Amino acid sequence: MSRASRARMAPWALLAPALAVIAVLLFYPLGRVVWLSFRHYDLRSLVSGESEFVGFDNFAALLGDSYLWTIVLPNTVVFAVAAVGGTVVFGTLVALLLQSLRPLWRTIVISCVMVAWAMPAVTGTYVWRWIFDVDRGIVRETLQAVGMLGPDGFNWFTERLTFYAIVVLNIVHHGFPFVAVTVLAGLLTVPRELHEAARIDGANGWQRFWNVSFPTLLPIFAVVTILSTIWDFKVFAQVYLMPGGAGTNEEIFNFGVWAYVESFTTGNYGTGAAIAVLLTLMLLAITVAYLKALFREDDPR
C-alpha cells in the first residue's frame, strides 16, 4: 500500500472503533425496528421466534385509522410546536438576561439554571404532578385561596388541553437552559460596536436584537430548533408518567406513548414498530425541510 493510500485510510482507521460502536448501538436497533414493522409480531412470536411477513399491512392499518389523524397526530404536532416555541423563546429571553449581568452574577445564575437541565425527566415530571395535584397541589390551594376554584377542585389531567399545557410547562422548564446557554454563547460573539452603532442610530432594544443579533444567531437558532423538535416530537416519559398517560386516557396519546402501549401493553410489536417508523420518517421530513429552507436563505443566489 502506498503512502498516499495509508494517509487516506488513517482517519477511517481511527474512526473505526467509534463507528463500530455506533453501528451496534444505533443501526442494529433501528434495523430491527424496521424489520418488525413489516411483520405480524406478537407475544406468541416473541416466544417462538417465528413471525409472519405482512408487508405494508401494519402501515396501511395505521394510516387508515382515524385515531391517528384525530388524536395522536394533533397531540404530537401541536404539543411539539408549542413546546419548541416556548423553549426557544423563553431560553432566548433568559440568554438576553444573562448577557446583561456582570460575570460573577452570570456564573451564579447559569449554575442555578443548569439545575433544571440536570434534573432527570422522571423527577421533573413528578414535580409538576405534585404542583397540579388534584387534592393537594399548590395550584389548587392557591386558586381556592383567592376564590377562583370551588371546593371540589379540578382535575387538570383529564382534558387534553390542560394535560398538554402542563406537559409543555414541564418540557420548557427542562429544556430552556440548553437554549439559554447556547444562545448566550452566540450573543457574546456579536461585536459590541455593532450594538453601539445601532444605538446611536436610534434603534431600541428590540430593533438591535432583531437587526444586529438575530442574523448572527440564525445558525444557532437552527440548531436548537432542530434538536428541540426532535426531542419534543418523541417525548415519552413526560406524557407517560402523568396521570392517565400510561394508557387509561387514550385521548392524550402521542406517537411515543402510542408506540409503547401498542408494543408492551397490547403485545402488538409489529404495529408498535410501524408507529415508531412513522415517527422517524416524520422527523426526517421536518429536519430536511427545515435545513433546505435555512440553506436557501443563506444561498446568495
Side-chain angles (χ1 to χ4, degrees), residues 45-104:
S45 303
L46 187 64
V47 174
S48 65
E50 299 178 355
S51 59
E52 179 186 357
F53 178 77
V54 295
F56 289 95
D57 288 356
N58 290 330
F59 295 96
L62 291 176
L63 296 175
D65 190 350
S66 61
Y67 181 70
L68 168 67
W69 305 103
T70 59
I71 301 295
V72 177
L73 187 62
N75 286 351
T76 303
V77 175
V78 175
F79 156 73
V81 170
V84 171
T87 303
V88 173
V89 171
F90 187 65
T92 302
L93 294 175
V94 173
L96 292 172
L97 172 63
L98 293 171
Q99 184 188 26
S100 66
L101 298 177
R102 295 181 180 275
L104 176 61

Side-chain angles (χ1 to χ4, degrees), residues 32 77 133 142 167 180 190 193-195 206 224 239 264 269 279:
R32 179 70 173 177
V77 175
D133 186 77
T142 301
V167 179
V190 179
E193 294 79 7
L194 296 179
H195 285 280
W206 166 251
V224 297
V239 176
F264 300 104
Y269 297 101
L279 175 59

Side-chain angles (χ1 to χ4, degrees), residues 254-277:
N254 64 353
F255 267 98
V257 175
W258 192 28
Y260 181 88
V261 171
E262 282 291 329
S263 298
F264 300 104
T265 301
T266 63
N268 296 324
Y269 297 101
T271 303
I275 296 171
V277 171

Side-chain angles (χ1 to χ4, degrees), residues 36-163:
L36 284 174
S37 68
F38 291 104
R39 311 191 75 84
H40 175 72
Y41 203 96
D42 54 15
L43 290 174
R44 181 176 299 178
S45 303
L46 187 64
V47 174
S48 65
E50 299 178 355
S51 59
E52 179 186 357
F53 178 77
V54 295
F56 289 95
D57 288 356
N58 290 330
F59 295 96
L62 291 176
L63 296 175
D65 190 350
S66 61
Y67 181 70
L68 168 67
W69 305 103
T70 59
I71 301 295
V72 177
L73 187 62
N75 286 351
T76 303
V77 175
V78 175
F79 156 73
V81 170
V84 171
T87 303
V88 173
V89 171
F90 187 65
T92 302
L93 294 175
V94 173
L96 292 172
L97 172 63
L98 293 171
Q99 184 188 26
S100 66
L101 298 177
R102 295 181 180 275
L104 176 61
W105 285 106
R106 182 186 301 162
T107 303
I108 295 174
V109 174
I110 288 177
S111 301
C112 296
V113 164
M114 292 306 293
V115 172
W117 173 253
M119 181 181 296
V122 174
T123 304
T125 301
Y126 277 105
V127 168
W128 285 99
R129 283 185 57 162
W130 171 70
I131 291 174
F132 286 92
D133 186 77
V134 178
D135 298 321
R136 299 176 302 277
I138 296 176
V139 173
R140 169 177 175 158
E141 294 181 356
T142 301
L143 293 179
Q144 287 180 335
V146 298
M148 297 180 61
L149 191 64
D152 295 334
F154 180 75
N155 192 338
W156 308 92
F157 301 101
T158 56
E159 300 292 335
R160 291 171 69 184
L161 181 61
T162 54
F163 179 95

Side-chain angles (χ1 to χ4, degrees), residues 5-21:
S5 299
R6 289 197 300 270
R8 287 195 299 268
M9 293 298 297
W12 291 105
L14 295 174
L15 289 172
L19 293 176
V21 173

Side-chain angles (χ1 to χ4, degrees), residues 229-246:
T229 300
I230 294 173
W231 293 335
D232 294 347
F233 261 85
K234 62 183 184 66
V235 159
F236 173 75
Q238 292 89 336
V239 176
Y240 186 80
L241 295 177
M242 288 289 183

